Amino acid sequence: MRLTLLYGVLFVVSGAVLLAITYLLVTHASSNVIVGREGGDVSRLTGAPGGGPSLGLTDHSQLNLDDGMRTLREHAYRQHQEGLQNLLVQAGIALAIMAVLSIALGWLIAGRVLRPLRTMTGTIRRISARNVHERLAVVGPADELKDLADTVDGLLGRLEAALDSHRRFVANAAHELRTPLTLEHALVEESLMDRDATVESYRANLERLLAISEQQARLLESLLTLSSSERGLDRREPVDLADVAEQAAGVQRPDVARRRLDLRISAAPAPIAGDAALVQRLVANLVDNAVGYNVRGGHVEISTGTRGRHAVVTVANTGPEVPPDQVERLFEPFQRLGRTADEGHHGLGLSIVRTIAVAHDALLTARARPGGGLVVEVAFLVRTDAAVHVLTKV
């Protein structure tokens, strides 16, 4: 309706302007003709000096001729006014008729223009979580409507990918939580059904239940960290990656000694501004992943430092061979190449690393090492005193 009114108003305004221009042109042209006749020199007919050949008219005849010319001029003027009035009336009637026709045509044109939008709107309304795979798939010339449809299709594609990732995450999380619960139930049931159970067997089962409970607590803590880091940063504070790396390496010393790994650390100052707890979890997860997914007698290398405008932490480790095309998949939740590590690893470590890096606007790169293992590098923006001052005030 609004488009139809817009088309109609534009047509009426354009027609009125055209009518006014035509009226002015006709008025100006007719006035020139009349003025030319009134200013004509009649002395050429009377034989006055300089007037050309004389017709031999008397004074009485000259007077009659002047009266006749005046009558003709008055008659021409009246015809001119009547013609202009008739032109104005007829043009107004034609404009009114065409205004009605323009409204009808505007309604048809507006419907034709809006038909693709109605089709897209109806399709979008039908799309839900169950059929998010459907697309508008508009065909036609590369105009604004086609661009809009392609943009909506791209949005639906990203939404489908996000929903699929969410479904996989929920399914994997449910599986990871259900497995220890099933094992706990089996241990309790075994203890109750064993009539010959001793104190030692009860103690062994309770120790296994305690270990399973600790694994569940770590899994829930990892899920909470993943969820909180996806919300972004609430605050920033000065953090030195060198201190964080040394602390993470110290925590892993017992596992390093048990696995007979060679741990090397090169900690150069690397100041950043970020959430200290999340940065510590990021580095701890990298080191824990490097130690847990390693081979006996392998090595782990941790280095920190600055490179241009970035503070970089790099963790490299030996371990099982990782296909280069599978490196990106390892950063998805609950994705592991195999259960080569302890059962305490649930496949969330690297996904938490990626989420924390995104929250800090850091660059995360990973590549497979020749012969096995990974090299993971996270580059944060270097902290400056001015930035720290502003962040502290905020």
Side-chain angles (χ1 to χ4, degrees):
M1 179 62 71
R2 287 196 297 269
L3 287 177
T4 301
L5 292 177
L6 178 61
Y7 294 154
V9 170
L10 287 178
F11 178 82
V12 170
V13 172
S14 301
V17 173
L18 178 62
L19 177 59
I21 294 175
T22 304
Y23 182 81
L24 292 176
L25 291 177
V26 172
T27 303
H28 181 68
S30 301
S31 299
N32 287 340
V33 173
I34 295 176
V35 170
R37 288 179 178 176
E38 288 180 350
D41 189 1
V42 209
S43 60
R44 293 182 295 120
L45 302 176
T46 61
S54 173
L55 298 179
L57 297 177
T58 61
D59 293 340
H60 180 70
S61 300
Q62 178 66 34
L63 182 60
N64 292 336
L65 181 60
D66 292 340
D67 292 339
M69 293 296 295
R70 187 180 301 107
T71 302
L72 289 175
R73 284 196 298 271
E74 292 176 355
H75 181 68
Y77 179 76
R78 286 194 299 270
Q79 285 186 335
H80 169 66
Q81 295 297 325
E82 291 176 358
L84 289 179
Q85 185 176 3
N86 290 334
L87 173 65
L88 190 61
V89 172
Q90 293 174 1
I93 295 174
L95 180 61
I97 295 174
M98 290 305 301
V100 175
L101 293 178
S102 69
I103 292 177
L105 292 175
W107 180 269
L108 296 177
I109 295 175
R112 177 65 181 85
V113 171
L114 295 178
R115 189 178 304 144
L117 291 178
R118 292 195 181 99
T119 303
M120 288 189 288
T121 302
T123 304
I124 293 173
R125 285 175 177 171
R126 290 194 303 272
I127 294 177
S128 63
R130 293 185 298 273
N131 59 343
V132 73
H133 61 277
E134 294 186 10
R135 297 293 182 268
L136 300 180
V138 174
V139 296
D143 53 11
E144 287 78 3
L145 292 178
K146 183 69 165 55
D147 292 341
L148 175 62
D150 293 343
T151 302
V152 173
D153 285 342
L155 175 62
L156 291 175
R158 294 190 297 272
L159 180 61
E160 181 183 11
L163 288 175
D164 289 341
S165 176
H166 177 71
R167 292 191 186 101
R168 290 194 302 270
F169 178 83
V170 171
N172 292 330
H175 173 73
E176 294 289 342
L177 291 172
R178 187 184 299 113
T179 301
L181 290 176
T182 304
L183 184 56
E184 287 179 351
H185 180 79
L187 289 174
V188 173
E189 190 175 45
E190 177 186 352
S191 300
L192 293 176
M193 294 178 61
D194 187 5
R195 298 183 179 277
D196 299 328
T198 62
V199 176
E200 288 75 13
S201 63
Y202 276 115
R203 181 180 296 276
N205 286 341
L206 289 176
E207 289 176 352
R208 295 179 63 185
L209 288 173
L210 181 61
I212 295 173
S213 176
E214 291 176 352
Q215 291 179 9
Q216 286 182 294
R218 287 195 295 269
L219 174 60
L220 292 176
E221 183 181 359
S222 298
L223 292 174
L224 290 175
T225 301
L226 184 63
S227 175
S228 62
S229 56
E230 286 181 344
R231 295 198 306 265
L233 299 182
D234 296 330
R235 60 190 181 88
R236 291 177 182 263
E237 55 187 326
V239 182
D240 194 339
L241 293 178
D243 298 336
V244 175
E246 291 178 350
Q247 180 181 0
V251 172
Q252 292 293 329
R253 292 289 181 185
D255 288 340
V256 169
R258 180 171 56 85
R259 295 172 178 272
R260 297 182 181 179
L261 301 176
D262 180 18
L263 177 61
R264 306 170 187 173
I265 180 169
S266 174
I272 67 170
D275 189 304
L278 292 180
V279 173
Q280 290 172 3
R281 173 54 64 91
L282 180 146
V283 178
N285 282 5
L286 287 178
V287 177
D288 180 68
N289 185 81
V291 173
Y293 293 90
N294 213 316
V295 293
R296 193 172 186 83
H299 65 268
V300 177
E301 298 178 0
I302 307 172
S303 63
T304 62
T306 57
R307 184 190 307 150
R309 299 177 58 251
H310 290 89
V312 182
V313 55
T314 305
V315 178
N317 66 284
T318 55
E321 187 172 353
V322 180
D325 58 343
Q326 296 294 316
V327 173
E328 183 66 23
R329 186 173 68 86
L330 294 178
F331 288 85
E332 296 294 331
F334 301 105
Q335 296 298 315
R336 288 168 289 187
L337 291 179
R339 294 182 178 272
T340 57
D342 292 340
E343 289 303 318
H345 293 78
H346 300 279
L348 287 173
L350 292 182
S351 62
I352 292 176
V353 167
R354 184 179 65 176
T355 305
I356 296 176
V358 171
H360 285 81
D361 297 325
L363 303 177
L364 173 64
T365 57
R367 67 179 186 276
R369 293 182 69 255
L374 282 176
V375 178
V376 183
E377 178 182 281
V378 184
F380 299 84
L381 288 176
V382 175
R383 188 190 78 214
T384 61
D385 294 339
V388 173
H389 177 70
V390 173
L391 290 170
T392 303
K393 294 181 65 177
V394 172

